[in-house]
Amino acid sequence: MTDDPPVRDSVPSSPDSGRPPDEHAGNVDSAAVDGNIHVGYWDSAADDRSLDQATDRLTDLVAGRLTAAPGRRLLDVGCGTGRPALRIARTTGAHVSGISVSEQDIDLARTRADATALADRVDFRYADACALPFEAGSFDGAWAIESLMHIPDRTAALTEIARTLRPGSPLVITDVLIRSPVTGEAAEIVRRTSRAFRSPSLPEPAELRTALERAGLEVVEFNDIGEHVRRTYQAFADAFTDVAPSADGRHHEFFTFTRSLPRFGALPQVGYAFVVARRP
């Protein structure tokens, strides 16, 4: 792995951690990230982008690795409230299908599509990544932004995604990464983070590579861009300062935990994967 930024832009950047729990999607969607519920990317310490702009920057880096163009079909695995899908559809002319296991997120994504006059180029539906409702070879590319961390059987999900891709098509994955084994207090912070984000475990490099290989996908790039996204954890903690969930709410733990995100983000063992794979 390398910490060099995977920069090969084809889409201009502009001001668009897993996914947050669905019942509070509206609260998060109206926060500083305005619908981009994933990490931000800063080019350097001198980069003064806002969190909103930096999350757009990550979406643009993903778009730059896709074979996106008018007439192409792309799949967004774990589409959240739809902003990355809409941004990529708008800037590339491609048609994007987004899936999520949150009905609330799907409803919000559809509303967002209608409001931006992109309903003819995007569609959002409830679907499990391990049982995709698409025929084999349906897509010219796919991406998964911080969605694999929530899936217990990542090999099964990647196999399904590979099935829906046409030969030669790319899959771009970005996700929180545990670079090396953690022990002691660090292990407890990682355990609590996984629990708060409803992740069975945060992926490690070898595990992710193995899952991709077992799914029949060829790894083209495997970068760790952790130092470029690390600012996100403090920024998210700041953005959620005023969110006050009820004590008996099912996601109270998540929003309470956001105050601890900077401690998680400061761990040197925490990285961030930017992976490009290809269906042979």
Side-chain angles (χ1 to χ4, degrees):
M1 292 187 298
T2 174
D3 190 46
D4 293 335
V7 177
R8 188 178 67 218
D9 296 333
S10 64
V11 182
S13 181
S14 71
D16 180 350
S17 34
R19 306 284 181 213
D22 51 21
E23 85 179 37
H24 288 288
N27 288 341
V28 177
D29 191 66
S30 63
V33 288
D34 189 22
N36 270 339
I37 312 165
H38 58 71
V39 303
Y41 182 99
W42 288 267
D43 290 322
S44 67
D47 188 340
D48 63 356
R49 285 184 178 88
S50 67
L51 175 59
D52 185 39
Q53 292 169 327
T55 55
D56 263 347
R57 174 72 166 142
L58 184 79
T59 299
D60 292 345
L61 289 174
V62 169
R65 297 301 198 275
L66 297 166
T67 52
R72 299 273 185 165
R73 291 192 66 201
L74 305 175
L75 174 64
D76 181 358
V77 181
C79 62
T81 60
R83 183 158 174 177
L86 292 167
R87 181 175 178 80
I88 290 175
R90 183 178 65 251
T91 56
T92 68
H95 184 283
V96 179
S97 295
I99 65 134
S100 172
V101 292
S102 166
E103 293 282 12
Q104 290 90 341
D105 280 1
I106 292 298
D107 288 344
L108 187 53
R110 289 170 176 166
T111 299
R112 191 186 292 275
D114 290 339
T116 54
L118 285 168
D120 62 330
R121 272 193 274 151
V122 295
D123 64 270
F124 299 103
R125 68 185 76 183
Y126 182 97
D128 186 337
C130 294
L132 293 171
F134 304 107
E135 294 182 359
S138 294
F139 296 102
D140 301 293
W143 75 85
I145 298 178
E146 291 167 32
S147 51
L148 287 182
M149 66 187 288
H150 301 292
I151 300 173
D153 191 340
R154 289 161 187 150
T155 298
L158 290 168
T159 300
E160 262 294 89
I161 296 168
R163 179 187 66 79
T164 69
L165 290 174
R166 296 187 178 100
S169 298
L171 166 63
V172 183
I173 297 168
T174 74
D175 222 321
V176 179
L177 187 75
I178 300 301
R179 294 169 170 168
S180 58
V182 288
T183 59
E185 183 181 6
E188 176 60 17
I189 293 172
V190 169
R191 185 194 67 77
R192 289 182 59 235
T193 302
S194 297
R195 179 178 173 184
F197 282 99
R198 298 195 168 193
S199 170
S201 65
L202 298 175
E204 298 181 4
E207 176 209 346
L208 194 50
R209 283 184 178 276
T210 298
L212 286 162
E213 291 169 2
R214 288 178 177 171
L217 291 162
E218 172 188 314
V219 176
V220 178
E221 299 179 35
F222 198 112
N223 295 312
D224 181 345
I225 60 171
E227 304 317 311
H228 294 274
V229 309
R230 202 172 292 281
R231 258 190 258 180
T232 305
Y233 301 105
Q234 182 64 59
F236 263 90
D238 294 341
F240 296 148
T241 297
D242 296 330
V243 176
S246 60
D248 57 351
R250 60 184 290 224
H251 297 306
H252 178 270
E253 181 180 21
F254 170 82
F255 285 100
T256 300
F257 178 76
T258 58
R259 300 180 182 90
S260 301
L261 275 174
R263 292 184 65 202
F264 171 76
L267 293 175
Q269 298 95 330
V270 173
Y272 194 85
F274 189 105
V275 180
V276 182
R278 183 181 68 89
R279 179 184 172 184

